[in-house]
Amino acid sequence: MFVVSVLFAASVCVTHCHVSGQTLNAGQNSVQQDVYGAEFPYRHRLHPLFHCHDTSPSANVPTSVEFVKAADVKVIAALGDSLTTACGANGSTFVSIAYEYRHMSWSIGGHKDVITLANIFKLFNPKLLGLSPEMTFYGNPTSVSETGFNFAVTGHNTLNILNQIRNMIDTFKSHPGLNFQKDWKVVTLLIGMNDICDYCKNKKLFSPDSFAHHMTEALDLMMNEIPRTIVNLVQIPPMKPLRKIHKPILGCYLRKVFCSCLIKPEENSPELQELVEINYEFQRRLEKLLQSDRFIKKDFAVVLQPFMENTEPPRLPDGTVDFSFFTADCLHFSVKGHEELAKGLWNNMFQPDGGKDRIRTFLEPMKPICPPPEHPYIYTRPREASLTATLKRFAFTLMTLFSSLVPFHSP
């Protein structure tokens, strides 16, 4: 979806500017204003907008993944592609698409004025490790001091995800101040959109079978290697609605390069209908993968978070798309969109399976919820697995009761 486009953007931008961390050596004011977001779209800080009465950790560090409060989480990390690296999120022209605004990313960003999942968790634990502190430039070497624990790589497909996970594991084990065995960690994973964008180029490599295989490998690796971890596996959104996001600017026209398998087919064509079905099949495969307790053990759980499962582009009262939620390439979310993703994910984490919100549109700003007093823990067990566990406990109780009522006769 993205590699060719960013290379092009980089070649344009390099003639104007150079980035190292957040230091620009640019002579063009217009470029600098675009990259840094001269009109930063946030008029309020996070903290006055969201406050919970109970932000305390558990009395003792929990040993079960089913009893982890927000304040018990000490480490936050993210895996994925350009949506998680936040390409172009705070820019206004195509030049900014080559910049990765990791510090504003929905799941891991640490910019103090942006609502991100990491910043919400930081309200419960101010010493949280892993928040992304800076923006980076596509293709440049980066360090953890720039990216935090944002291990996403722009342009990655599902077949690349194991490399990100291995990098994350190695970093966790060596990072100062992180207790690999004892610290509770939250990892957010969203990947698969590039597989759909590239599907028509290699239908076997990017098939639902291949997608499910790589996702299973990824979750197995984390479950077997990382203790005390909750993985948010975010359901991929429907891609077809992105075709509706278009305006006559360079970035939008280049969508045919970014995501050709989605953008090029004619409306109602067999090629488009096939791609839409592949998109739905990807969603079904993730649901099937996580409908049981396959990826749950005492100190580890993978939870499917479905808030984007049916999402449509937000529209203005006149019915037109609200472009303030999107970047200059008409494909990625702006910081305004990232904030809504962050709140949607946070809310899903404190909603039980079967009761998780699915956001139809982000037109109305969501309100983050506080962990309910009756269940202040992150929900980690799918409904089917919970029902199975309950039935097993009930059966055991009945057997115990029955055995106590039946007289014992020795031979």
Side-chain angles (χ1 to χ4, degrees):
M1 171 181 175
F2 201 82
V3 175
V4 175
S5 66
V6 173
L7 289 175
F8 175 79
S11 67
V12 172
C13 183
V14 163
T15 63
H16 296 280
C17 56
H18 172 73
V19 172
S20 176
Q22 287 202 37
T23 303
L24 277 178
N25 296 319
Q28 299 292 330
N29 289 335
S30 60
V31 173
Q32 183 168 347
Q33 289 175 357
D34 173 58
V35 171
Y36 286 109
E39 297 180 3
F40 190 73
Y42 299 94
R43 291 172 291 279
H44 304 286
R45 294 177 185 271
L46 168 63
H47 302 268
L49 297 178
F50 180 59
H51 175 74
C52 296
H53 293 295
D54 181 12
T55 59
S56 62
S58 301
N60 298 302
V61 177
T63 57
S64 170
V65 75
E66 296 188 63
F67 299 102
V68 178
K69 299 175 67 176
D72 295 326
V73 175
K74 295 187 176 181
V75 180
I76 194 161
L79 306 162
D81 52 30
S82 54
L83 186 57
T84 299
T85 64
C87 285
N90 197 42
S92 58
T93 71
F94 184 66
V95 170
S96 65
I97 301 301
Y99 292 85
E100 300 166 329
Y101 295 83
R102 293 175 187 262
H103 57 323
M104 300 179 180
S105 176
W106 58 290
S107 59
I108 190 71
H111 192 293
K112 63 183 178 65
D113 292 333
V114 179
I115 299 175
T116 69
L117 182 70
N119 276 339
I120 296 177
F121 266 104
K122 195 175 179 181
L123 295 177
F124 292 79
N125 178 10
K127 296 181 179 180
L128 185 71
L129 293 176
L131 296 81
S132 293
E134 299 183 7
M135 71 178 180
T136 54
F137 186 73
Y138 172 78
N140 278 8
T142 57
S143 65
V144 174
S145 64
E146 295 171 302
T147 65
F149 294 162
N150 184 342
F151 300 99
V153 178
T154 296
H156 265 193
N157 298 91
T158 306
L159 56 88
N160 307 119
I161 195 61
L162 288 183
N163 294 332
Q164 294 184 29
I165 295 172
R166 291 190 181 102
N167 183 22
M168 178 175 69
I169 293 171
D170 291 343
T171 302
F172 282 175
K173 289 181 176 179
S174 61
H175 192 79
L178 192 160
N179 189 319
F180 184 69
Q181 295 296 331
K182 295 183 178 180
D183 288 348
W184 280 100
K185 311 160 194 73
V186 166
V187 178
T188 299
L189 168 59
L190 172 58
I191 199 163
M193 290 84 75
N194 286 336
D195 298 49
I196 294 169
C197 282
D198 293 336
Y199 172 73
C200 64
K201 302 171 186 176
N202 191 326
K203 294 185 179 181
K204 183 177 181 180
L205 184 63
F206 301 115
S207 67
D209 286 342
S210 178
F211 172 74
H213 170 74
H214 291 302
M215 292 303 299
T216 302
E217 277 191 331
L219 300 181
D220 273 335
L221 178 59
M222 286 191 280
M223 184 171 67
N224 293 332
E225 297 289 336
I226 316 176
R228 294 195 173 181
T229 299
I230 297 170
V231 178
N232 288 316
L233 182 57
V234 179
Q235 181 65 279
I236 61 175
M239 301 283 285
K240 185 183 177 183
L242 294 176
R243 289 166 56 93
K244 302 173 184 177
I245 306 167
H246 184 73
K247 55 184 177 180
I249 59 176
L250 177 61
C252 286
Y253 283 115
L254 288 175
R255 294 185 309 162
K256 290 184 178 180
V257 178
F258 305 171
C259 192
S260 58
C261 297
L262 174 68
I263 303 300
K264 283 186 176 181
E266 297 293 329
E267 192 69 22
N268 299 320
S269 66
E271 294 82 6
L272 181 59
Q273 292 174 3
E274 180 183 7
L275 192 69
V276 169
E277 179 55 33
I278 291 296
N279 194 160
Y280 288 145
E281 183 61 20
F282 276 31
Q283 292 183 331
R284 289 191 287 265
R285 294 298 181 95
L286 287 185
E287 291 173 358
K288 184 178 180 180
L289 197 59
L290 295 181
Q291 67 185 8
S292 69
D293 58 0
R294 168 73 172 78
F295 293 103
I296 300 176
K297 60 181 185 179
K298 184 176 181 180
D299 70 343
F300 182 92
V302 181
V303 187
L304 184 64
Q305 309 295 12
F307 67 98
M308 281 201 292
E309 185 176 293
N310 304 314
T311 301
E312 292 270 349
R315 295 184 177 276
L316 298 170
D318 64 2
T320 60
V321 171
D322 186 346
F323 285 99
S324 67
F325 284 89
F326 300 97
T327 62
D329 66 359
C330 299
L331 280 177
H332 293 86
F333 282 108
S334 66
V335 186
K336 184 177 181 179
H338 277 263
E339 287 201 324
E340 297 307 306
L341 299 186
K343 291 182 285 185
L345 177 54
W346 168 265
N347 288 356
N348 267 189
M349 292 183 72
F350 291 93
Q351 295 165 335
D353 189 47
K356 294 182 183 291
D357 290 339
R358 287 163 170 80
I359 310 303
R360 187 67 179 175
T361 178
F362 294 116
L363 186 59
E364 293 295 328
M366 282 182 289
K367 294 182 179 180
I369 63 175
C370 289
E374 66 275 13
H375 191 282
Y377 313 110
I378 299 169
Y379 279 93
T380 54
R381 187 172 287 275
R383 180 170 49 179
E384 181 175 313
S386 296
L387 179 60
T388 301
T390 300
L391 290 175
K392 286 181 178 178
R393 288 194 295 269
F394 181 66
F396 178 77
T397 302
L398 284 180
M399 290 177 64
T400 303
L401 179 62
F402 180 75
S403 64
S404 68
L405 295 176
V406 176
F408 178 76
H409 297 285
S410 58

